[in-house]
Amino acid sequence: IVLGQRIAYELAVWHEIITWFPGSGQRYSSFSPEDNFSNLLGTYMGADALRSPKSFEDGAVDAIADWLTKLKPSPKKETLDAFAAVKGRWWNDTLNPVASDAVLRRQFDALGTITPWQVSGFAPCSGETAVSLDVPSKGPANENLTTLYSLEFGIPSVLPVAVVALTGGGGLSPITPADFPALITHVRSDAKKPANFGPDADKP
């Protein structure tokens, strides 16, 4: 189960990386503020559902309810107020929700421990500690999960040659999760360019 969690999450991170590059048609959503945490949280919910003695469907219902309780969900009005508080800072109110400037800040902390952003200066967040989640790295016998599987991606045409050169194989071998840190560093640097999403594109 934890191996499945890790692989599922790494597939999600790859999606965030590859959609940043022109040609993917999905750059507007790459590394949106909630992406990494919600993707990882979904694997935890799925793991709980698989461990449940109930059917997967009923176990999933329970897992979602349990995690929502842990995360202390806000009422609708507070949620809308939080969105309003970061309007113009994290996102733009645009008629085109897939415009290149629809999302102003990106969450690039995708590896290790994932902590969701909180809205600074927003009263409901004051005194609250964000719930952090770890990307699974160890099996039940404390074995390193990375020794138990191999995950490889072909080099897609949307990746510029200079970016492919950043990978361990330099473009001569498939991309693996070991290449993610270098690729995310490149995307983070690229996002800071004023031509993209502004100078604070990755600041909470």
Side-chain angles (χ1 to χ4, degrees), residues 114-183:
I114 314 301
T115 303
W117 286 352
Q118 291 180 301
V119 182
S120 59
F122 186 61
C125 289
S126 300
E128 293 287 346
T129 300
V131 175
S132 297
L133 296 176
D134 293 327
V135 178
S137 61
K138 299 289 185 180
N142 205 38
E143 66 272 38
N144 189 332
L145 293 180
T146 59
T147 66
L148 304 178
Y149 71 103
S150 175
L151 183 60
E152 297 180 341
F153 304 95
I155 299 172
S157 59
V158 298
L159 279 187
V161 173
V163 175
V164 174
L166 298 173
T167 63
L172 300 177
S173 59
I175 293 170
T176 73
D179 296 312
F180 287 0
L183 293 172

Side-chain angles (χ1 to χ4, degrees), residues 51-75:
R51 292 188 181 102
S52 171
K54 301 180 180 179
S55 68
F56 181 81
E57 290 79 5
D58 290 340
V61 170
D62 291 345
I64 292 170
D66 290 345
W67 276 99
L68 286 178
T69 299
K70 293 177 188 176
L71 294 170
K72 300 180 181 179
S74 297

Side-chain angles (χ1 to χ4, degrees), residues 2 6 8 18 44 48 51 57 68-70 85 87 92 99 107 116 119 124 172 188 191 195 201:
V2 292
R6 183 178 179 89
I18 203 64
Y44 273 83
D48 287 350
R51 292 188 181 102
E57 290 79 5
L68 286 178
T69 299
K70 293 177 188 176
K87 179 180 175 181
N92 264 335
Q107 167 60 291
V119 182
L172 300 177
R188 182 195 292 266

Side-chain angles (χ1 to χ4, degrees), residues 70-89:
K70 293 177 188 176
L71 294 170
K72 300 180 181 179
S74 297
K76 180 178 180 179
K77 182 182 184 307
E78 285 186 3
T79 301
L80 294 175
D81 287 346
F83 271 105
V86 294
K87 179 180 175 181
R89 293 167 49 206

